[in-house]
Amino acid sequence: MSLLVMKFGGTSVADLDRIRNAAEKVRREVMRGHEVIVIVSAMSGKTNELVGWVEATSHLYDAREYDAVVASGENVTAGLMALTLQQMDVPARSWQGWQVPIQTTSAHSSARFIDIPRANLDAKFAEGFRVAVVAGFQGVSAEGRITTLGRGGSDTTAVAFAAAFGAQRCDIYTDVDGVYTTDPRICAKARRLDTIAFEEMLELASLGAKVLQTRSVELAMRYKVRLRVLSSFEDTDDRSGTLVCDEEDIMESRAVSGVAYSRDEAKLTLVSVEDRPGIAAAIFGPLAGAGVNVDMIVQNISEKDYEGHTVAVTDMTFSCPVNQVARARKALEDAQASGVIAYDDLVVDTEVAKVSVVGIGMRSHAGVAAQMFSALAAENINIKVITTSEIKISVLIDRKYMELAVQALHDAFELDKAT
Ligand code: ADP
Ligand code: ASP
Ligand code: MG
C-alpha cells in the first residue's frame, strides 16, 4: 500500500471545524487506498502563548522545561485529529514524539533528528490502522526528555517521516495555496509558482520566507522527498500547489525567482577596533559562545591617531536577530572588560530589516545586483549592508521601508509575469 505524509499547520487546525476539514482531506486519501501519516502543528497562536508563559516565569529558564511546555500544543491537536478521524470511521490513533519514538539530539528548542524507528507505526498499520497522527515539532532525547525542533519545526517532522517511511509524497497543507514569488501577505502581485528548485526554496526559507522551515527543505533535498505545499482551505488534487523539486525539472528560467524578507534584524557596529590578525576571531568567538546568530558581517579598515602616531583600526559591523541584541551587547562588553578586545564605541540599530532576492539563474545572469540597487535607489531606500552568494543578494535597510522594498524588487524583476 502506498503511503502519504500530510502535514497541517497551525491555521489549518485552529479549531474543531478546521480539524474536521483537515480530517476530511485525510479521509479522502484513505478512500483512495493510501496509508497516511498525518503531522499536526499546535492550533495557531498556541505555541506563542506557551512560549509567553515560559518567559513570564523566568528570564533564564531551564530549556528542558521550556520544551516540555511548548511541545504540549501539538499533543492536543494530535489527539483531536485522531478522534475526529475515528468519528469518520477511519481507523486512526495519535502518537506523541516519545511514543514513536522520534529520537533527537538533546539541543533543547533546536533539536535535530537522530532516528525515527519504523517498528511501532508499522506494527499498527499491520493491525489495520490506516492513519497515524503524529504530533509535529517534538521528539525525545537520549536522556528521555521531551525536545522541540525550533519554530516551524512540524514541517521538518513531516519531511523526516516521509524520508523514514519512503512516502510517495510529503504534502504540506497551509493557509496559502503554494509557494509564491514573495509573501502574498505583503505583496498583492505575488504569483504562485508551480515548481521551485530545492536550492531556491532553501535560500528563501533561510532568508525569512516562513512557508517552510529551512531544515525541512534541507532534509527533502538530501533524501529526495517529493515535497509539495498546498492549501488546506481549498479543494485540492494531485496537481495542486507548488512542488519543490530538482533544478532540472524547472521550466522557468530567469535571474531572480523570489524575494524574501526578515523583519526583526538588528545591526551592531564596533567602532575603532584594533586592526590585527585574530581580531575577527576575538570578536565573533565570544558572540558564538553567547549563542548569538551572526548573519551579515562587514569590516571597514581606516586609521586613527593614537598618542602621536597612526594606527590601523577597523569598524566591524554585523547583523543578528533583534531579540539577541542584549546577549550580543553583554558578550562584547565582557570581552572588552577582560581585555580580549578594545573598541571606542558600540552602535546598535534595532530598526532594520533584511530583504533578499533569490534565483539559481543568477549564476548565469550578470547585473542582478546593479538592477536590485537601482530599484531601491528609485524608491530612495538607503542600503546599510550588502551580502551576496552564488544565488542570492541581501541588503539591510530601515525596517519602515521593508514592504516598499519587497514590492519594488518584485516589480523590478517582473516576478508577477510568468516567463
Ligand atoms: P503553517 O502554520 O501552516 O506552518 P506558516 O505561517 O508557518 O504556516 O507559513 C505560511 C505563511 O508563510 C503564509 O501565510 C505566508 O504569509 C508566509 N510566506 C512567506 N513567504 C512566502 C512565500 N514566498 N510563499 C508563500 N507564503 C509565504
Ligand atoms: N507549533 C510550532 C510553532 O508554532 C511548530 C509548527 O507549527 O511548525 O513553531
Ligand atoms: Mg509553519
Side-chain angles (χ1 to χ4, degrees), residues 269-273 298-302 313-317:
T269 303
L270 280 173
V271 180
S272 292
V273 190
V298 183
Q299 185 179 5
N300 307 308
I301 308 297
S302 59
V313 291
T314 168
D315 287 350
M316 191 73 87
T317 298

Side-chain angles (χ1 to χ4, degrees), residues 7 152 155 210-211:
K7 179 257 174 179
D155 297 331
K210 70 169 181 164
V211 61

Side-chain angles (χ1 to χ4, degrees), residues 269-274 279 283 304 313-316 328-337 340-347:
T269 303
L270 280 173
V271 180
S272 292
V273 190
E274 182 196 0
I279 193 65
I283 293 171
K304 80 168 179 182
V313 291
T314 168
D315 287 350
M316 191 73 87
R329 190 194 288 275
K330 178 158 191 318
L332 294 169
E333 286 169 357
D334 288 352
Q336 162 115 303
V340 178
I341 52 172
Y343 55 87
D344 285 355
D345 199 4
L346 173 60
V347 181

